[in-house]
Amino acid sequence: MPPLEGQPVDMLFALYVALGVLAVRLASERLLLPALNSAFKARLQGEDSNPSKIRKRAYNCFNNSFIAASSLLMTSWAWHVTMTDNGGCTPFSTHSCLAGWPAISVSRQFKLVWLTVFGFYLYEMICTALRVGCVLSTEMVVHHIITMWMMLYGYFYSLGRYGLMATALLDTSNTLLHSAKALNYAEAAFPGLASLKDAAFKSFALSFLLCRVLAPPLALIKPGLLDGRAMPLVSYYITNGLLLFIYSLQLFWFVKIVKIAMGGPAGDEEEESSKPAKVAAAAAAGTNRAALKAE
């Protein structure tokens, strides 16, 4: 176990998390996916009974369920630490996020949750490189690289409180996104899940709007631009430049949500974990299955 004293060796803990999640993922896939595939095979008929389609549907349902469960655990933990052990830095009170920089101390619990979240991002990058488990799209790889860069920068440059608050806020919609996608794949075999799927879609759309579009200007961008002036000029521009890039991705996805909700094309992307806009737009437009068919 690394000493967790803010040194590069602490990254070993994130690597342990990544390898541990990968091991759990592969083991649970081996144990649960055959049963899920059999359940789908027994209930699907007609065009949906094609064996390859059943396997793909079962795999996508499992994959999104695993991400949703993992995201729920990490985001709940991140919010708990943000609200109780983050030096008063929350989305609702940002005055202490960068106050006193660079002499900003953080707790051991903060380091554990920070490195765990970083480890999960690392796990997804390892999966993408090895083409196993969760394979990310190109735009999500870029998103992860920038996010992981920001997390490393924050961990070693006394921006941890600010970064953890941002992580908790922006990751809130992840659980709902992947829950909605998992339920969408399962609904064909279990029609009783339709109402739950629709509720998940609408909850995701609302959380995306609140946490990724409306909240960041005041909770993230404003303190970065104003309170961040305590940092050297180069650090100020790096920090705010990365933050604005991440926020621009949220706006890019939100524009896609609006376009699809207004009847635009959903796109032909095949990559998993790359279409938050498509899912939310399907909910807003009331065309869940049609918009998600490309997945």
Side-chain angles (χ1 to χ4, degrees):
M1 180 69 178
L4 300 185
E5 295 178 350
Q7 301 299 319
V9 70
D10 292 358
M11 290 299 109
L12 280 176
F13 183 81
L15 179 60
Y16 298 159
V17 170
L19 296 178
V21 174
L22 179 59
V24 172
R25 163 62 193 247
L26 295 177
S28 58
E29 183 176 323
R30 185 178 181 87
L31 290 172
L32 301 177
L33 190 55
L36 186 61
N37 187 71
S38 297
F40 278 24
K41 185 176 181 180
R43 299 181 67 91
L44 291 173
Q45 298 178 352
E47 182 180 341
D48 290 331
S49 63
N50 182 288
S52 63
K53 290 185 177 181
I54 290 176
R55 286 193 298 270
K56 183 176 180 180
R57 181 179 293 274
Y59 178 83
N60 287 333
C61 181
F62 169 82
N63 183 51
N64 282 285
S65 297
F66 185 86
I67 299 173
S70 302
S71 296
L72 177 61
L73 292 174
M74 289 186 297
T75 305
S76 298
W77 190 13
W79 269 111
H80 171 72
V81 177
T82 296
M83 300 304 296
T84 64
D85 197 14
N86 202 34
C89 175
T90 74
F92 316 103
S93 178
T94 61
H95 66 277
S96 63
C97 293
L98 296 172
W101 186 93
I104 298 178
S105 62
V106 295
S107 68
R108 184 177 179 85
Q109 182 178 208
F110 163 89
K111 294 173 184 176
L112 288 172
V113 68
W114 183 277
L115 293 170
T116 297
V117 173
F118 185 88
F120 193 82
Y121 279 112
L122 181 59
Y123 147 77
E124 292 191 319
M125 295 294 279
I126 292 174
C127 285
T128 301
L130 299 179
R131 309 300 294 180
V132 298
C134 175
V135 179
L136 302 174
S137 68
T138 301
E139 74 180 44
M140 287 302 292
V141 168
V142 173
H143 172 275
H144 277 36
I145 290 173
I146 298 298
T147 300
M148 292 170 73
W149 182 12
M150 290 182 68
M151 293 189 74
L152 288 171
Y153 186 67
Y155 189 79
F156 295 114
Y157 205 62
S158 298
L159 298 173
R161 291 179 183 174
Y162 184 50
L164 181 62
M165 180 267 288
T167 297
L169 183 66
L170 295 178
D171 285 357
T172 296
S173 62
N174 288 350
T175 298
L176 295 168
L177 165 65
H178 291 285
S179 296
K181 292 170 75 173
L183 289 167
N184 180 75
Y185 289 117
E187 185 202 3
F190 303 93
L193 296 175
S195 60
L196 184 60
K197 178 197 71 173
D198 290 339
F201 282 149
K202 293 173 183 177
S203 298
F204 164 70
L206 179 60
S207 69
F208 190 97
L209 175 63
L210 293 177
C211 297
R212 292 184 174 230
V213 176
L214 298 181
L218 289 177
L220 302 181
I221 296 175
K222 181 181 177 181
L225 293 175
L226 298 182
D227 300 335
R229 288 179 294 187
M231 297 183 289
L233 193 60
V234 173
S235 302
Y236 176 85
Y237 283 123
I238 290 176
T239 300
N240 286 289
L242 292 173
L243 179 62
L244 289 171
F245 177 81
I246 291 295
Y247 184 59
S248 69
L249 281 179
Q250 315 311 314
L251 296 180
F252 169 73
W253 284 325
F254 186 68
V255 168
K256 292 175 70 175
I257 291 174
V258 174
K259 287 183 178 179
I260 299 171
M262 294 177 64
D268 296 320
E269 298 93 342
E270 292 294 333
E271 297 92 340
E272 197 59 38
S273 303
S274 67
K275 296 173 284 297
K278 189 186 295 184
V279 179
T287 56
N288 299 334
R289 183 168 296 178
L292 289 166
K293 190 174 181 181
E295 297 187 306

Tab-separated table of all heavy atoms in Angstrom, residues 12-51:
chain	number	residue	atom	x	y	z
A	12	LEU	N	0.413	4.107	-7.584
A	12	LEU	CA	0.311	2.651	-7.503
A	12	LEU	C	-1.065	2.220	-7.020
A	12	LEU	O	-1.604	1.205	-7.458
A	12	LEU	CB	1.387	2.098	-6.559
A	12	LEU	CG	2.796	1.941	-7.125
A	12	LEU	CD1	3.749	1.476	-6.033
A	12	LEU	CD2	2.803	0.961	-8.302
A	13	PHE	N	-1.639	3.007	-6.112
A	13	PHE	CA	-2.979	2.670	-5.607
A	13	PHE	C	-4.002	2.721	-6.741
A	13	PHE	O	-4.868	1.848	-6.854
A	13	PHE	CB	-3.383	3.622	-4.490
A	13	PHE	CG	-4.722	3.304	-3.878
A	13	PHE	CD1	-4.840	2.317	-2.917
A	13	PHE	CD2	-5.870	3.970	-4.282
A	13	PHE	CE1	-6.073	2.002	-2.363
A	13	PHE	CE2	-7.101	3.658	-3.732
A	13	PHE	CZ	-7.207	2.680	-2.768
A	14	ALA	N	-3.897	3.742	-7.610
A	14	ALA	CA	-4.805	3.835	-8.753
A	14	ALA	C	-4.627	2.644	-9.688
A	14	ALA	O	-5.602	2.110	-10.237
A	14	ALA	CB	-4.567	5.145	-9.496
A	15	LEU	N	-3.373	2.206	-9.866
A	15	LEU	CA	-3.122	1.030	-10.704
A	15	LEU	C	-3.735	-0.215	-10.078
A	15	LEU	O	-4.327	-1.043	-10.778
A	15	LEU	CB	-1.616	0.838	-10.892
A	15	LEU	CG	-1.193	-0.376	-11.724
A	15	LEU	CD1	-1.762	-0.293	-13.135
A	15	LEU	CD2	0.332	-0.488	-11.776
A	16	TYR	N	-3.613	-0.360	-8.753
A	16	TYR	CA	-4.244	-1.491	-8.068
A	16	TYR	C	-5.753	-1.483	-8.294
A	16	TYR	O	-6.375	-2.528	-8.529
A	16	TYR	CB	-3.964	-1.434	-6.563
A	16	TYR	CG	-2.513	-1.528	-6.166
A	16	TYR	CD1	-2.084	-1.065	-4.919
A	16	TYR	CD2	-1.552	-2.072	-7.015
A	16	TYR	CE1	-0.759	-1.142	-4.528
A	16	TYR	CE2	-0.224	-2.153	-6.640
A	16	TYR	CZ	0.173	-1.685	-5.393
A	16	TYR	OH	1.488	-1.753	-5.016
A	17	VAL	N	-6.364	-0.295	-8.203
A	17	VAL	CA	-7.806	-0.172	-8.423
A	17	VAL	C	-8.159	-0.597	-9.843
A	17	VAL	O	-9.105	-1.368	-10.059
A	17	VAL	CB	-8.283	1.274	-8.158
A	17	VAL	CG1	-9.727	1.467	-8.631
A	17	VAL	CG2	-8.167	1.614	-6.677
A	18	ALA	N	-7.401	-0.112	-10.828
A	18	ALA	CA	-7.685	-0.431	-12.224
A	18	ALA	C	-7.608	-1.935	-12.479
A	18	ALA	O	-8.502	-2.520	-13.110
A	18	ALA	CB	-6.699	0.314	-13.133
A	19	LEU	N	-6.557	-2.562	-11.979
A	19	LEU	CA	-6.403	-4.009	-12.183
A	19	LEU	C	-7.449	-4.783	-11.403
A	19	LEU	O	-7.944	-5.830	-11.862
A	19	LEU	CB	-4.997	-4.434	-11.774
A	19	LEU	CG	-3.855	-3.836	-12.606
A	19	LEU	CD1	-2.497	-4.289	-12.070
A	19	LEU	CD2	-4.000	-4.206	-14.078
A	20	GLY	N	-7.805	-4.285	-10.215
A	20	GLY	CA	-8.840	-4.949	-9.423
A	20	GLY	C	-10.193	-4.891	-10.092
A	20	GLY	O	-10.929	-5.889	-10.133
A	21	VAL	N	-10.545	-3.708	-10.636
A	21	VAL	CA	-11.823	-3.575	-11.338
A	21	VAL	C	-11.836	-4.460	-12.574
A	21	VAL	O	-12.849	-5.109	-12.878
A	21	VAL	CB	-12.082	-2.108	-11.720
A	21	VAL	CG1	-13.338	-1.985	-12.582
A	21	VAL	CG2	-12.236	-1.248	-10.467
A	22	LEU	N	-10.717	-4.517	-13.278
A	22	LEU	CA	-10.643	-5.374	-14.462
A	22	LEU	C	-10.849	-6.838	-14.083
A	22	LEU	O	-11.576	-7.570	-14.777
A	22	LEU	CB	-9.282	-5.194	-15.144
A	22	LEU	CG	-9.037	-6.051	-16.399
A	22	LEU	CD1	-10.078	-5.763	-17.467
A	22	LEU	CD2	-7.636	-5.800	-16.941
A	23	ALA	N	-10.248	-7.277	-12.990
A	23	ALA	CA	-10.416	-8.659	-12.540
A	23	ALA	C	-11.873	-8.943	-12.171
A	23	ALA	O	-12.429	-9.993	-12.538
A	23	ALA	CB	-9.499	-8.933	-11.348
A	24	VAL	N	-12.497	-8.019	-11.442
A	24	VAL	CA	-13.905	-8.190	-11.069
A	24	VAL	C	-14.782	-8.209	-12.307
A	24	VAL	O	-15.720	-9.011	-12.413
A	24	VAL	CB	-14.346	-7.069	-10.105
A	24	VAL	CG1	-15.853	-7.114	-9.869
A	24	VAL	CG2	-13.608	-7.193	-8.778
A	25	ARG	N	-14.479	-7.328	-13.241
A	25	ARG	CA	-15.263	-7.255	-14.471
A	25	ARG	C	-15.194	-8.567	-15.247
A	25	ARG	O	-16.222	-9.118	-15.659
A	25	ARG	CB	-14.733	-6.099	-15.327
A	25	ARG	CG	-15.141	-6.116	-16.801
A	25	ARG	CD	-16.641	-6.018	-16.978
A	25	ARG	NE	-17.021	-6.345	-18.334
A	25	ARG	CZ	-17.528	-5.461	-19.183
A	25	ARG	NH1	-17.683	-4.206	-18.821
A	25	ARG	NH2	-17.901	-5.835	-20.383
A	26	LEU	N	-13.997	-9.097	-15.456
A	26	LEU	CA	-13.852	-10.325	-16.228
A	26	LEU	C	-14.483	-11.515	-15.512
A	26	LEU	O	-15.109	-12.376	-16.143
A	26	LEU	CB	-12.367	-10.588	-16.503
A	26	LEU	CG	-11.663	-9.561	-17.399
A	26	LEU	CD1	-10.182	-9.892	-17.536
A	26	LEU	CD2	-12.328	-9.489	-18.770
A	27	ALA	N	-14.337	-11.555	-14.171
A	27	ALA	CA	-14.924	-12.654	-13.402
A	27	ALA	C	-16.449	-12.594	-13.439
A	27	ALA	O	-17.123	-13.619	-13.644
A	27	ALA	CB	-14.420	-12.607	-11.961
A	28	SER	N	-17.023	-11.398	-13.241
A	28	SER	CA	-18.475	-11.272	-13.245
A	28	SER	C	-19.043	-11.518	-14.637
A	28	SER	O	-20.135	-12.090	-14.781
A	28	SER	CB	-18.886	-9.889	-12.731
A	28	SER	OG	-18.314	-8.860	-13.522
A	29	GLU	N	-18.298	-11.118	-15.662
A	29	GLU	CA	-18.744	-11.388	-17.027
A	29	GLU	C	-18.798	-12.894	-17.279
A	29	GLU	O	-19.752	-13.404	-17.888
A	29	GLU	CB	-17.794	-10.709	-18.016
A	29	GLU	CG	-18.187	-10.862	-19.465
A	29	GLU	CD	-17.261	-10.101	-20.395
A	29	GLU	OE1	-16.817	-8.996	-20.032
A	29	GLU	OE2	-16.967	-10.626	-21.503
A	30	ARG	N	-17.792	-13.591	-16.803
A	30	ARG	CA	-17.753	-15.043	-16.996
A	30	ARG	C	-18.876	-15.748	-16.229
A	30	ARG	O	-19.457	-16.730	-16.707
A	30	ARG	CB	-16.395	-15.580	-16.529
A	30	ARG	CG	-16.186	-17.067	-16.790
A	30	ARG	CD	-14.797	-17.505	-16.349
A	30	ARG	NE	-14.563	-18.912	-16.604
A	30	ARG	CZ	-14.109	-19.415	-17.744
A	30	ARG	NH1	-13.828	-18.600	-18.749
A	30	ARG	NH2	-13.901	-20.712	-17.893
A	31	LEU	N	-19.221	-15.224	-15.056
A	31	LEU	CA	-20.238	-15.850	-14.223
A	31	LEU	C	-21.659	-15.478	-14.636
A	31	LEU	O	-22.568	-16.320	-14.608
A	31	LEU	CB	-20.020	-15.469	-12.754
A	31	LEU	CG	-18.789	-16.067	-12.068
A	31	LEU	CD1	-18.602	-15.440	-10.693
A	31	LEU	CD2	-18.924	-17.589	-11.960
A	32	LEU	N	-21.881	-14.208	-14.992
A	32	LEU	CA	-23.241	-13.706	-15.165
A	32	LEU	C	-23.707	-13.616	-16.607
A	32	LEU	O	-24.902	-13.771	-16.885
A	32	LEU	CB	-23.362	-12.318	-14.515
A	32	LEU	CG	-23.056	-12.240	-13.017
A	32	LEU	CD1	-23.148	-10.798	-12.542
A	32	LEU	CD2	-24.004	-13.127	-12.231
A	33	LEU	N	-22.787	-13.359	-17.530
A	33	LEU	CA	-23.204	-13.148	-18.915
A	33	LEU	C	-23.869	-14.374	-19.542
A	33	LEU	O	-24.868	-14.219	-20.254
A	33	LEU	CB	-22.004	-12.694	-19.748
A	33	LEU	CG	-22.324	-12.209	-21.165
A	33	LEU	CD1	-23.368	-11.100	-21.141
A	33	LEU	CD2	-21.050	-11.725	-21.861
A	34	PRO	N	-23.384	-15.608	-19.312
A	34	PRO	CA	-24.085	-16.768	-19.894
A	34	PRO	C	-25.531	-16.885	-19.422
A	34	PRO	O	-26.421	-17.200	-20.219
A	34	PRO	CB	-23.243	-17.950	-19.411
A	34	PRO	CG	-21.879	-17.385	-19.211
A	34	PRO	CD	-22.118	-16.008	-18.662
A	35	ALA	N	-25.784	-16.616	-18.144
A	35	ALA	CA	-27.152	-16.688	-17.627
A	35	ALA	C	-28.021	-15.608	-18.250
A	35	ALA	O	-29.195	-15.848	-18.593
A	35	ALA	CB	-27.137	-16.543	-16.107
A	36	LEU	N	-27.466	-14.396	-18.411
A	36	LEU	CA	-28.231	-13.314	-19.027
A	36	LEU	C	-28.521	-13.627	-20.490
A	36	LEU	O	-29.637	-13.399	-20.977
A	36	LEU	CB	-27.434	-12.010	-18.915
A	36	LEU	CG	-28.131	-10.732	-19.383
A	36	LEU	CD1	-29.376	-10.475	-18.558
A	36	LEU	CD2	-27.176	-9.548	-19.289
A	37	ASN	N	-27.560	-14.187	-21.171
A	37	ASN	CA	-27.758	-14.570	-22.567
A	37	ASN	C	-28.849	-15.638	-22.692
A	37	ASN	O	-29.695	-15.569	-23.593
A	37	ASN	CB	-26.438	-15.088	-23.146
A	37	ASN	CG	-26.516	-15.339	-24.636
A	37	ASN	OD1	-26.591	-14.422	-25.440
A	37	ASN	ND2	-26.494	-16.622	-25.020
A	38	SER	N	-28.859	-16.594	-21.777
A	38	SER	CA	-29.885	-17.651	-21.799
A	38	SER	C	-31.271	-17.071	-21.531
A	38	SER	O	-32.256	-17.480	-22.157
A	38	SER	CB	-29.557	-18.715	-20.755
A	38	SER	OG	-28.329	-19.360	-21.065
A	39	ALA	N	-31.354	-16.113	-20.597
A	39	ALA	CA	-32.639	-15.487	-20.278
A	39	ALA	C	-33.180	-14.723	-21.478
A	39	ALA	O	-34.373	-14.790	-21.797
A	39	ALA	CB	-32.486	-14.562	-19.074
A	40	PHE	N	-32.314	-14.000	-22.180
A	40	PHE	CA	-32.743	-13.278	-23.365
A	40	PHE	C	-33.167	-14.254	-24.469
A	40	PHE	O	-34.156	-14.033	-25.159
A	40	PHE	CB	-31.598	-12.398	-23.875
A	40	PHE	CG	-31.463	-11.085	-23.147
A	40	PHE	CD1	-31.953	-10.921	-21.856
A	40	PHE	CD2	-30.831	-10.015	-23.742
A	40	PHE	CE1	-31.816	-9.719	-21.184
A	40	PHE	CE2	-30.691	-8.801	-23.080
A	40	PHE	CZ	-31.187	-8.659	-21.800
A	41	LYS	N	-32.400	-15.321	-24.624
A	41	LYS	CA	-32.696	-16.305	-25.671
A	41	LYS	C	-34.056	-16.954	-25.452
A	41	LYS	O	-34.791	-17.233	-26.405
A	41	LYS	CB	-31.606	-17.377	-25.689
A	41	LYS	CG	-31.738	-18.402	-26.809
A	41	LYS	CD	-30.561	-19.363	-26.804
A	41	LYS	CE	-30.682	-20.381	-27.934
A	41	LYS	NZ	-29.539	-21.337	-27.942
A	42	ALA	N	-34.412	-17.184	-24.193
A	42	ALA	CA	-35.681	-17.843	-23.879
A	42	ALA	C	-36.884	-16.926	-24.098
A	42	ALA	O	-38.002	-17.412	-24.312
A	42	ALA	CB	-35.667	-18.314	-22.427
A	43	ARG	N	-36.666	-15.615	-24.094
A	43	ARG	CA	-37.796	-14.685	-24.140
A	43	ARG	C	-37.918	-13.936	-25.466
A	43	ARG	O	-38.995	-13.438	-25.783
A	43	ARG	CB	-37.679	-13.669	-23.004
A	43	ARG	CG	-37.706	-14.309	-21.611
A	43	ARG	CD	-37.621	-13.241	-20.540
A	43	ARG	NE	-38.801	-12.413	-20.505
A	43	ARG	CZ	-39.881	-12.648	-19.756
A	43	ARG	NH1	-39.909	-13.723	-18.973
A	43	ARG	NH2	-40.910	-11.832	-19.782
A	44	LEU	N	-36.843	-13.841	-26.241
A	44	LEU	CA	-36.886	-13.088	-27.488
A	44	LEU	C	-37.335	-13.976	-28.639
A	44	LEU	O	-36.916	-15.128	-28.753
A	44	LEU	CB	-35.510	-12.499	-27.794
A	44	LEU	CG	-35.054	-11.375	-26.850
A	44	LEU	CD1	-33.621	-10.984	-27.145
A	44	LEU	CD2	-35.970	-10.171	-26.964
A	45	GLN	N	-38.176	-13.409	-29.496
A	45	GLN	CA	-38.704	-14.158	-30.633
A	45	GLN	C	-38.627	-13.300	-31.882
A	45	GLN	O	-38.348	-12.105	-31.828
A	45	GLN	CB	-40.166	-14.567	-30.372
A	45	GLN	CG	-40.335	-15.478	-29.162
A	45	GLN	CD	-41.789	-15.818	-28.911
A	45	GLN	OE1	-42.693	-15.266	-29.537
A	45	GLN	NE2	-42.021	-16.752	-27.983
A	46	GLY	N	-38.896	-13.922	-33.022
A	46	GLY	CA	-38.926	-13.203	-34.276
A	46	GLY	C	-37.558	-12.684	-34.671
A	46	GLY	O	-36.536	-13.363	-34.532
A	47	GLU	N	-37.543	-11.433	-35.164
A	47	GLU	CA	-36.292	-10.837	-35.651
A	47	GLU	C	-35.249	-10.726	-34.547
A	47	GLU	O	-34.049	-10.833	-34.804
A	47	GLU	CB	-36.581	-9.442	-36.218
A	47	GLU	CG	-35.371	-8.746	-36.795
A	47	GLU	CD	-35.708	-7.367	-37.332
A	47	GLU	OE1	-36.903	-7.112	-37.581
A	47	GLU	OE2	-34.772	-6.563	-37.499
A	48	ASP	N	-35.705	-10.527	-33.298
A	48	ASP	CA	-34.776	-10.377	-32.187
A	48	ASP	C	-34.175	-11.691	-31.710
A	48	ASP	O	-33.346	-11.695	-30.807
A	48	ASP	CB	-35.489	-9.709	-30.994
A	48	ASP	CG	-35.807	-8.249	-31.281
A	48	ASP	OD1	-35.056	-7.630	-32.059
A	48	ASP	OD2	-36.796	-7.740	-30.734
A	49	SER	N	-34.601	-12.834	-32.285
A	49	SER	CA	-34.128	-14.129	-31.806
A	49	SER	C	-32.846	-14.587	-32.483
A	49	SER	O	-32.357	-15.686	-32.198
A	49	SER	CB	-35.219	-15.196	-32.020
A	49	SER	OG	-35.494	-15.366	-33.412
A	50	ASN	N	-32.291	-13.770	-33.365
A	50	ASN	CA	-31.023	-14.096	-34.000
A	50	ASN	C	-29.955	-14.264	-32.928
A	50	ASN	O	-29.762	-13.367	-32.096
A	50	ASN	CB	-30.623	-12.974	-34.969
A	50	ASN	CG	-29.342	-13.274	-35.705
A	50	ASN	OD1	-28.267	-13.233	-35.103
A	50	ASN	ND2	-29.456	-13.562	-36.998
A	51	PRO	N	-29.243	-15.400	-32.900
A	51	PRO	CA	-28.272	-15.656	-31.819
A	51	PRO	C	-27.224	-14.559	-31.653
A	51	PRO	O	-26.881	-14.190	-30.541
A	51	PRO	CB	-27.628	-16.988	-32.222
A	51	PRO	CG	-28.677	-17.663	-33.048
A	51	PRO	CD	-29.369	-16.563	-33.794
